[in-house]
Amino acid sequence: MVFKRLLGSIGVGGPAVDTVLAPGATLPGGSLAGEVHLKGGGADFDVEHVSLELVARVEAETEDAEHEGTVAFERYTVAAGFRLAAGEQRTIPFSVTLPWETPVTELHGQPLGVVLGVRTELGVAGARDKGDLDPLTVRPLPAQEAILEAFGQLGFGFASADLEYGHIGGTGQQLPFHQEIGITPSPQYAHAVEEIEVTFLAAPGGMEVVLEADKRGGAFAGGHDALTRFTVAHDSVTHTDWNTEVDSWVRRLVEHRVPPGGGAPYGHGDALPHGPGHGHGHDHGHGGHRGGPGVGTAVAAGAAGLAVGVVGGMVAAEVVDEVGDFFEGEEDEGDEG
């Protein structure tokens, strides 16, 4: 790969940086490995730090519009406190752990249109330059994949995937945003819901699954969409009948029932507070996000959907182009300082 020249606050003639990630997709909560390649500039430089930052393209709703912006959601320092001689080439290997709630960007090799990146920052003499941005590919955890496959086998279809800024009340969500995977209903439920949005909130001990249903007229009491949470243990993948489990979730969602008892042990669920003035049940924040060009996070996959666990239809070419444009634009911003 060609080195990305740092032309911002460090100036022309400063060090250059190129980050190379290990090939293949990683997992939420898994290890991300790679190497940062540095090339010294026209003079010796004291490097204060070399940092990696995980960034995501996220949608944020305001009262009058919907905006897209870049959110940094994790940061790692992979080296610090060394001198890089003029013209010196140095390689810094790294292995870092992704947050458990890192969004999924692909399913069975098919991109979902979600944009994640690893941005490299080089700190030299009090100046910081964001010199390199590389796409990050994340595949689903076994439990996430099993649940999505069950939806497909039950006749649901893939509609879209995006990242929404804000917190889902009543959950243990840690990141400032969450992923929503939209699926179209199977014929059995088409009369009741227009779309179901699935959100996975993984943690070391298990995973919360939040289902939100966009109602059809008169389907739900009180005129509000239904929102229901279930919890799943990571080790339940091999001994669970997921088709039966997921179908029971959807039935409970459509009926909008709260099960007896207040708790939600693994494998059970409860309804979350959901009423007017809460923006689909999420506490959305609106600060610090600039508007930006659409990145096509809604993936037009058609009616074929998630059948037998494989995303039906190909991701539209314009979505892939826009993802590429996002990374090029971010690198240009870093170059401009």
Side-chain angles (χ1 to χ4, degrees):
M1 295 178 66
V2 179
F3 278 97
K4 313 306 193 337
R5 179 66 61 186
L6 300 183
L7 302 177
S9 54
I10 294 177
V12 177
V17 61
D18 180 41
T19 297
V20 180
L21 302 179
T26 187
L27 290 167
S31 295
L32 174 67
E35 296 178 339
V36 178
H37 300 287
L38 298 178
K39 184 176 181 180
D44 294 352
F45 282 87
D46 289 322
V47 177
E48 296 175 353
H49 68 265
V50 179
S51 299
L52 304 177
E53 198 171 50
L54 303 184
V55 298
R57 196 66 164 165
V58 176
E59 297 180 359
E61 295 181 6
T62 62
E63 292 182 358
D64 56 352
E66 186 174 89
H67 306 278
E68 289 182 335
T70 305
V71 174
F73 62 98
E74 187 61 279
R75 183 180 177 87
Y76 316 89
T77 297
V78 296
F82 62 92
R83 170 158 287 202
L84 185 67
E88 176 188 354
Q89 297 196 36
R90 180 179 297 214
T91 297
I92 302 170
F94 65 84
S95 179
V96 298
T97 302
L98 296 183
W100 279 92
E101 290 181 16
T102 300
V104 174
T105 67
E106 70 170 30
L107 178 62
H108 292 291
Q110 295 289 335
L112 300 179
V114 171
V115 181
L116 300 181
V118 180
R119 185 161 57 194
T120 307
E121 180 182 276
L122 185 63
V124 176
R128 296 180 180 181
D129 275 278
K130 302 180 187 303
D132 195 10
L133 182 66
D134 298 274
L136 174 61
T137 304
V138 182
R139 68 183 190 272
L141 293 165
Q144 294 170 337
E145 185 174 310
I147 290 168
L148 293 176
E149 287 187 351
F151 272 111
Q153 292 171 4
L154 291 169
F156 292 80
F158 177 79
S160 64
D162 56 23
L163 306 181
E164 292 286 340
Y165 188 76
H167 189 274
I168 303 177
T171 69
Q173 181 183 335
Q174 299 296 311
L175 296 184
F177 60 86
H178 53 274
Q179 183 172 22
E180 293 180 346
I181 300 174
I183 58 176
T184 56
S186 66
Q188 180 181 359
Y189 298 106
H191 69 285
V193 296
E194 295 182 5
E195 184 175 284
I196 294 176
E197 292 176 340
V198 182
T199 295
F200 297 119
L201 299 174
M207 182 175 66
E208 293 177 89
V209 183
V210 180
L211 303 184
E212 181 177 3
D214 290 339
K215 67 175 184 178
R216 292 194 186 275
F220 300 107
H224 303 302
D225 295 349
L227 192 67
T228 307
R229 177 180 64 93
F230 303 89
T231 51
V232 173
H234 292 303
D235 60 5
S236 65
V237 174
T238 58
H239 57 267
T240 299
D241 181 346
W242 287 108
N243 285 14
T244 299
E245 185 76 6
V246 169
D247 186 63
S248 71
W249 294 353
V250 176
R251 288 179 181 274
R252 185 173 297 166
L253 177 70
V254 170
E255 296 169 5
H256 205 187
R257 295 182 305 179
V258 179
Y266 287 123
H268 295 76
D270 55 3
L272 299 176
H274 202 193
H278 291 284
H280 300 290
H282 310 318
D283 301 322
H284 292 286
H286 309 304
H289 294 279
R290 56 174 173 80
V295 296
T297 48
V299 182
L306 293 163
V308 198
V310 180
V311 176
M314 297 299 292
V315 175
E318 59 267 23
V319 172
V320 178
D321 290 342
E322 288 171 353
V323 170
D325 291 344
F326 165 71
F327 285 102
E328 291 175 4
E330 286 289 310
E331 288 173 3
D332 291 343
E333 289 179 10
D335 290 344
E336 293 170 1

